Amino acid sequence: MAKKMVYFFGGGKADGKADMKELLGGKGANLAEMSKLGVPVPPGFTITTEVCTHYMKNNGKYPKDLQKEVNSALSKVEKIMGQTFGSPQNPLLFSVRSGARVSMPGMMETVLNIGLSSKTIPGLIQKSGNERFVYDAYRRLIMMYSDVVMEKSSGIEVPEGKGIRHQLEREMQKMKDTKGVENDTDLDAEDLKKLVYIFKKKVKQILKKDFPDEPNEQLWGAISAVFQSWNGKRAKAYRAIEGISDDWGTAVNVQTMVFGNMGSDSATGVAFTRDPATGENIFYGEFLVDAQGEDVVAGLRTPQAINNESKTESSKKLPTLEELMPENYKQLVKIRNKLEKHYHDMQDLEFTIQEGNLFMLQTRVGKRNGAAAVRMAVEMKKEKVISETEAILRVKPEQMDELLHPMLDPKSEKKATLLAKGLPAGPGGGVGQIVFSADDAEAWAKKGEKVILVRDETSPEDVHGMRAAQAILTAKGGMTSHAALVARGWGKCCIVGCGALNIDFRKKTLSVDKTTLKEGDWISLNGTIGSVYLDKISLMPADPDKNEYYKTLMSYADKARKLGVRTNADNPKDSKQARDFGAEGIGLTRTEHMFFGPDRIKAMRQMILAEDEAGRKTALKKLLPFQRKDFEGIFKAMDGLPVTIRTLDPPLHEFLPNDDAAQKEMAKQMGISVKDVKSKVQSLHEMNPMLGHRGCRLGITYPEITAMQAQAIMEAACKVAKAGVKVFPEIMIPLIGTVKELENQKKVVQEMAEQVMEKAGIRVKYMVGTMIEIPRAALTADQVAEQAEFFSFGTNDLTQMTFGYSRDDAGVFLPEYVEKKILPNDPFQSLDQTGVGQLVAMGVEKGRSTRKDLKVGICGEHGGEPSSIDFCHRVGMNYVSCSPFRVPIARLAAAHAALKNK
Ligand code: ADP
Ligand code: MG
Ligand code: MG
């Protein structure tokens, strides 16, 4: 390894700079950048991430010349500081800090006060004239070092609460209790001296090793521990969730200590250049007097606000930094302005004041919630800090989600009692009374109650109750379970896979450990993070239409994007909702959803039970007016915009009841014997229903179904057209594998359409097109396009059939596939661009080779997922279609796609 391994920073200079994050980690790169900017940063050096990967690959061995490079950087620091590491007279102390390419808050380790030993302690006491400070620093060193270096990095596994750090904390608490004091700062030098003695004994007793008294041993111990913390349990788990590569490694920053714990003119704090909760352009921060860095985050003492704007309920009576240390505050404000201007983005800062001198310890792009991200982007554009393009790219499409759902009031949520945790399947907050069945949910909701439907898992038969509920909570199932998919589609709060729940459906109780809740008890869900709380927490409503920042950002996005954005909606209410969110039409109406209502299912079942065509036609006649009315509503809601309606898709058995009780009920309703019902259900049973008698195959064997649906669509269209509504029906035939299938169904539709328009005495422009969801359709898209006036890629089925995974059964193995990296992610969530994507790209190209102006869209779940939307842009689709609540996400994602692929 001939490359440079150690990068120095300090004294207004630095070897590195901000864009070297891969090598120096975010923290190191920004420490270098700040040094260069002339911001006061304690000098130090960064050991690169390459050393980390070398260390990992070579079983904890360092590259040959590392020691030399470290020593030379160390002397540079000593020179600037006029102090020497390990010197008894004038000792220099270091912090050893982790810092990966992207920030992994709290996941890796940092050790402060490295270099304190029996040799250096007297010198530091003499120099500082502050014995208490020195022993406070020393007890902190012992706490952090024994935890991070001696315990964690040596791989010792201890049960929760039994670690060395907890044990030392308990000793400290004992001492405070004996003294009858509350705060750490109430312990004096003598107390701390005693405590240090107790600590060392405890360390020896528990870890069977002496606390190292050699500064150099401490330094290298800490460096190795930080490298190893990259492979710590927490860090690994965090990387898995955030999709961060295990190969990046962390850098190590060795930096001169500055002390916020030297008395009342010293302090430490964190600040954001803008309010990360609201996005407002105010300086926002907290600090503690006479403290070291970790105290602010640890919540041991109540932090004070840096200024009046930052005051909270708990800090409102405490003096601010502006009041206590006005000069330092002014200086901090200047640095805030400088850094924000330099980085063009909101920064998250760490600072320490040592005896009236301000030092900056960190700056990085600050994390923010969705609402704040939008406001900052728009305001920074208006302040000319960033361009319109940057403003659009600043906000992650997924973040729009947060603006569209009511949320639990964060302040009340903090105080609430957590009952259990599950998977965050549907975002936002949900508050309601527990019910245990879909029917109860519906019944209670009708009475005006707010309910949360709690089930082991849900099935399509629960949909009415899921709809009626404020939120859905299931004990089983993953992110692709039925409950999760349905809730996501509706934008409803939902938590799934909450394994701690014990549901007794018959007794109508729900218990977690010793807590038992019964029907009617209140709970609150935060579906964005998967937390279930006891009792009622207040909700904050979402109303994006009142949010000027949101509207402005969306107007930027709409200007930038090339893709149209439509919605998948099956009823007028969802259509209107989607239109309010900016949908430019409907990309998919699933007509079968209209057959499930209580008044319709009977006619549907009659149709299925009919022995012959005549019997089916009689039943279909009953369904016709229902469908027509639904379509009228949708056309009106989408006045002026295209509406794609798919003819019947699922296998017929989905409309028949499966359990005994329901079959009896049905027999009674239909006036036939239970035996007949059972035998019909039996006869419709298929080995592979998803590959069976469904989609256009139904329409080909029972053309009267397609005819009835075409009639309903065209009659509705003619009727509203007469009333002045602009309609553009696009009739879509599902599950085509060969052009002949489409030709057959198109003929049925066209004949009916002509008949209806003739009778109505009005002509309506309509189209007949098809879903491309069977691989063969994509492979022969040139032929299919000769018949199809438009394509819509049904990527759910296309993924299912290309991989050969049944989507309904994939939950058993898919999560493990992703975990074992056999698949990069769930292909039902984000489109598999390498495989399925080839079929899509080929389908578009071949289709347009025979029909130049072929309109192409996508209507699978992927139509609302940003990386898939980027793909749709690249293959030249005309639009994406997604569920109503994902429309704003898709608009922004489409803009990102256009800007990134310029
Ligand atoms: P994290 O990545 O978890 O934020 P840091 O490396 O930033 O860890 O360190 C944690 C805390 O330790 C910081 O908040 C900072 O206040 C304090 N700290 C780190 N280095 C120094 C230093 N050289 N002097 C004083 N305090 C420091
Ligand atoms: Mg930090
Ligand atoms: Mg399908």
Side-chain angles (χ1 to χ4, degrees):
M1 205 161 150
K3 277 201 230 143
K4 189 174 169 63
M5 293 177 276
V6 175
Y7 285 69
F8 167 83
F9 59 85
K13 292 199 193 80
D15 296 341
K17 54 183 189 322
D19 65 8
M20 293 172 72
K21 291 197 176 67
E22 293 185 13
L23 192 63
L24 304 180
K27 202 179 284 167
N30 284 329
L31 285 170
E33 187 82 5
M34 282 199 290
S35 289
K36 280 191 168 151
L37 281 174
V39 169
V41 172
F45 53 88
T46 305
I47 307 175
T48 66
T49 54
E50 287 175 356
V51 174
C52 182
T53 39
H54 179 281
Y55 178 84
M56 295 296 168
K57 273 193 205 126
N58 294 279
N59 285 323
K61 272 210 211 70
Y62 289 115
K64 199 168 102 260
D65 291 330
L66 181 67
Q67 184 114 25
K68 240 198 265 164
E69 280 195 43
V70 165
N71 288 343
S72 114
L74 206 140
S75 328
K76 250 190 182 166
V77 176
E78 288 176 332
K79 218 162 164 194
I80 291 184
M81 295 302 297
Q83 293 172 314
T84 309
F85 184 60
S87 147
Q89 290 81 37
N90 190 8
L92 180 63
L93 302 189
F94 283 123
S95 68
V96 175
R97 319 172 65 188
S98 57
R101 208 188 279 197
V102 295
S103 103
M104 297 168 49
M107 293 300 134
M108 287 186 302
E109 308 296 352
T110 286
V111 185
L112 305 184
N113 307 331
I114 293 280
L116 276 176
S117 68
S118 53
K119 256 196 329 196
T120 57
I121 285 173
L124 192 63
I125 292 176
Q126 234 216 329
K127 219 190 120 232
S128 64
N130 187 341
E131 191 179 19
R132 185 196 177 278
F133 146 69
V134 177
Y135 280 104
D136 183 51
Y138 195 42
R139 67 96 187 157
R140 289 170 190 270
L141 170 66
I142 300 173
M143 284 174 116
M144 282 187 251
Y145 194 95
S146 61
D147 170 40
V148 172
V149 186
M150 301 176 73
E151 189 172 80
K152 281 204 193 101
S153 88
S154 58
I156 300 174
E157 288 267 351
V158 281
E160 177 98 16
K162 289 269 160 60
I164 182 74
R165 184 150 193 161
H166 283 277
Q167 308 226 27
L168 299 184
E169 267 161 13
R170 270 199 290 277
E171 292 300 327
M172 188 155 160
Q173 191 57 47
K174 252 195 248 166
M175 177 160 277
K176 285 193 279 184
D177 291 346
T178 324
K179 258 201 109 178
V181 297
E182 208 177 306
N183 288 323
D184 298 357
T185 40
D186 295 329
L187 297 175
D188 61 23
E190 278 312 305
D191 300 329
L192 291 169
K193 225 179 189 168
K194 267 187 235 151
L195 194 61
V196 160
Y197 177 77
I198 297 171
F199 275 12
K200 284 196 189 171
K201 248 178 50 187
K202 233 1 311 148
V203 167
K204 173 87 199 223
Q205 180 201 331
I206 294 171
L207 300 172
K208 317 271 181 266
K209 257 192 242 160
D210 281 317
F211 186 78
D213 200 39
E214 266 305 312
N216 238 335
E217 186 188 343
Q218 289 175 5
L219 178 64
W220 284 96
I223 291 173
S224 300
V226 169
F227 279 144
Q228 278 170 34
S229 71
W230 176 257
N231 278 336
K233 240 199 213 152
R234 272 180 306 158
K236 272 189 175 161
Y238 182 84
R239 287 202 294 274
I241 294 168
E242 296 285 311
I244 297 171
S245 164
D246 288 335
D247 306 330
W248 289 354
T250 180
V252 171
N253 302 286
V254 177
Q255 186 177 29
T256 303
M257 278 302 300
V258 286
F259 301 101
N261 56 337
M262 287 187 79
S264 59
D265 58 352
S266 299
T268 186
V270 294
F272 295 87
T273 58
R274 298 187 187 213
D275 186 337
T278 64
E280 194 183 349
N281 188 0
I282 54 162
F283 191 25
Y284 185 93
E286 322 185 302
F287 76 106
L288 283 173
V289 177
D290 197 8
Q292 267 194 339
E294 78 275 13
D295 297 355
V296 182
V297 212
L300 297 174
R301 278 194 270 157
T302 310
Q304 295 160 244
I306 57 166
N307 52 22
N308 284 331
E309 289 85 0
S310 309
K311 281 190 172 173
T312 62
E313 206 46 44
S314 56
S315 65
K316 76 177 177 214
K317 295 213 179 78
L318 303 169
T320 63
L321 185 70
E322 190 172 11
E323 287 157 3
L324 288 178
M325 306 179 190
E327 282 311 311
N328 289 135
Y329 178 75
K330 255 190 247 161
Q331 207 187 346
L332 190 62
V333 169
K334 269 199 195 135
I335 292 172
R336 170 223 183 194
N337 296 339
K338 188 175 197 168
L339 289 176
E340 202 182 86
K341 207 165 145 213
H342 182 73
Y343 284 100
H344 303 277
D345 202 352
M346 187 265 274
Q347 298 291 300
D348 170 350
L349 311 171
E350 290 175 6
F351 64 90
T352 284
I353 297 166
Q354 175 178 336
E355 297 184 301
N357 295 307
L358 173 70
F359 295 92
M360 300 310 291
L361 292 172
Q362 191 168 337
T363 186
R364 64 177 164 219
V365 171
K367 289 211 165 39
R368 61 205 75 179
N369 66 31
V374 171
R375 177 166 181 174
M376 282 180 209
V378 169
E379 289 193 332
M380 284 188 188
K381 147 79 172 61
K382 293 199 166 147
E383 293 158 18
K384 298 203 164 60
V385 178
I386 55 176
S387 68
E388 192 165 309
T389 299
E390 273 179 281
I392 296 169
L393 294 173
R394 231 356 113 67
V395 183
K396 291 193 204 106
E398 294 289 356
Q399 285 184 307
M400 304 310 294
D401 220 20
E402 292 167 40
L403 275 71
L404 309 177
H405 304 282
M407 288 193 336
L408 295 183
D409 173 36
K411 278 196 193 124
S412 321
E413 186 177 350
K414 248 190 196 158
K415 285 184 243 153
T417 315
L418 185 73
L419 179 68
K421 289 216 69 152
L423 301 171
V431 180
Q433 294 171 275
I434 304 175
V435 292
F436 294 93
S437 78
D439 291 340
D440 285 341
E442 197 175 48
W444 286 51
K446 272 207 180 113
K447 285 186 290 175
E449 312 284 0
K450 294 196 178 328
V451 296
I452 291 182
L453 177 61
V454 181
R455 306 276 298 161
D456 266 333
E457 52 198 333
T458 64
S459 74
E461 282 161 45
D462 296 326
V463 168
H464 60 291
M466 296 166 77
R467 186 96 206 174
Q470 301 296 310
I472 300 150
L473 171 63
T474 72
K476 295 185 186 148
M479 293 295 275
T480 53
S481 65
H482 177 261
L485 285 180
V486 171
R488 232 189 339 267
W490 291 340
K492 186 166 289 214
C493 171
C494 175
I495 297 176
V496 299
C498 195
L501 302 184
N502 268 309
I503 299 171
D504 190 327
F505 181 74
R506 273 186 310 155
K507 281 198 203 136
K508 299 194 174 180
T509 62
L510 148 71
S511 55
V512 177
D513 295 333
K514 289 190 186 87
T515 313
T516 300
L517 303 177
K518 49 186 195 317
E519 185 181 57
D521 286 347
W522 287 85
I523 54 171
S524 303
L525 310 188
N526 180 340
T528 311
I529 57 172
S531 296
V532 184
Y533 302 97
L534 288 177
D535 301 325
K536 217 168 159 174
I537 299 177
S538 50
L539 274 178
M540 299 196 318
D543 192 353
D545 262 345
K546 292 218 179 77
N547 183 334
E548 285 308 319
Y549 308 107
Y550 162 84
K551 286 204 283 192
T552 308
L553 187 78
M554 279 295 149
S555 74
Y556 299 162
D558 289 343
K559 258 190 282 169
R561 69 185 159 92
K562 300 274 186 296
L563 278 170
V565 176
R566 296 197 191 182
T567 192
N568 300 346
D570 311 326
N571 57 56
K573 187 171 156 258
D574 287 357
S575 309
K576 189 182 169 308
Q577 173 72 272
R579 194 168 189 172
D580 289 346
F581 284 153
E584 297 157 315
I586 289 183
L588 175 63
T589 295
R590 304 177 189 86
T591 48
E592 62 270 17
H593 284 196
M594 302 169 173
F595 293 137
F596 273 109
D599 38 357
R600 301 145 187 231
I601 189 77
K602 201 173 148 194
M604 186 64 187
R605 287 171 176 171
Q606 237 168 29
M607 198 272 301
I608 296 169
L609 290 174
E611 296 297 336
D612 54 13
E613 191 185 324
R616 274 194 298 276
K617 278 193 169 155
T618 318
L620 284 166
K621 251 199 201 115
K622 291 189 196 156
L623 284 171
L624 178 75
F626 289 123
Q627 288 238 296
R628 191 170 49 216
K629 196 152 160 283
D630 288 335
F631 294 138
E632 278 172 30
I634 293 174
F635 287 144
K636 279 188 206 152
M638 284 287 155
D639 188 357
L641 299 173
V643 174
T644 307
I645 298 166
R646 178 178 71 184
T647 53
L648 193 63
D649 182 58
L652 293 180
H653 76 85
E654 280 194 14
F655 300 96
L656 297 181
N658 280 316
D659 57 297
D660 281 348
Q663 288 178 349
K664 254 188 214 143
E665 169 82 26
M666 176 176 158
K668 208 169 96 196
Q669 260 184 16
M670 323 253 345
I672 52 174
S673 73
V674 180
K675 206 175 121 235
D676 282 348
V677 173
K678 280 195 192 301
S679 80
K680 193 70 194 179
V681 171
Q682 195 61 171
S683 77
L684 286 173
H685 174 80
E686 293 177 301
M687 297 303 281
N688 291 306
M690 277 299 128
L691 301 174
H693 193 198
R694 59 174 285 229
C696 67
R697 300 157 203 170
L698 279 173
I700 288 168
T701 47
Y702 300 152
E704 54 278 11
I705 299 179
T706 310
M708 182 280 283
Q709 295 200 295
Q711 185 182 352
I713 295 167
M714 293 310 291
E715 284 181 357
C718 291
K719 187 167 166 205
V720 298
K722 276 186 186 163
V725 175
K726 287 205 179 74
V727 278
F728 304 100
E730 301 175 346
I731 300 171
M732 179 158 79
I733 310 298
L735 228 63
I736 288 291
T738 123
V739 66
K740 288 284 179 200
E741 289 172 314
L742 179 58
E743 210 180 318
N744 170 296
Q745 290 291 286
K746 189 176 174 185
K747 196 159 156 262
V748 176
V749 171
Q750 280 178 334
E751 276 171 14
M752 179 54 78
E754 284 307 319
Q755 230 172 299
V756 171
M757 290 190 290
E758 183 110 339
K759 204 165 143 208
I762 184 171
R763 289 207 70 84
V764 168
K765 223 177 142 236
Y766 72 98
M767 289 204 278
V768 183
T770 186
M771 302 266 289
I772 303 287
E773 53 187 336
I774 286 186
R776 195 182 186 284
L779 295 167
T780 59
D782 45 349
Q783 294 172 15
V784 177
E786 278 169 8
Q787 289 293 328
E789 291 169 281
F790 64 89
F791 279 179
S792 178
F793 283 88
T795 45
N796 297 343
D797 265 303
L798 192 60
T799 300
Q800 173 160 266
M801 289 190 235
T802 304
F803 274 97
Y805 300 159
S806 153
R807 183 165 70 149
D808 301 304
D809 305 305
V812 182
F813 58 88
L814 260 191
E816 214 169 310
Y817 268 41
V818 175
E819 205 172 287
K820 292 192 170 141
K821 305 206 167 127
I822 288 171
L823 290 175
N825 41 38
D826 181 344
F828 292 106
Q829 278 177 31
S830 71
L831 187 75
D832 161 46
Q833 299 180 17
T834 2
V836 179
Q838 282 201 47
L839 286 170
V840 175
M842 177 193 293
V844 176
E845 206 189 300
K846 283 197 149 190
R848 291 205 176 124
S849 74
T850 52
R851 191 184 287 266
K852 227 174 64 234
D853 58 349
L854 183 74
K855 193 150 67 155
V856 180
I858 181 174
C859 62
E861 286 266 315
H862 306 99
E865 192 275 323
S867 75
S868 312
I869 292 171
D870 188 78
F871 176 81
C872 294
H873 171 90
R874 281 184 276 122
V875 299
M877 285 194 192
N878 300 86
Y879 68 86
V880 296
S881 187
C882 56
S883 53
F885 274 88
R886 296 198 74 84
V887 166
I889 298 171
R891 285 161 75 192
L892 186 57
H896 280 209
L899 295 170
K900 285 181 184 158
N901 295 300
K902 252 193 182 145

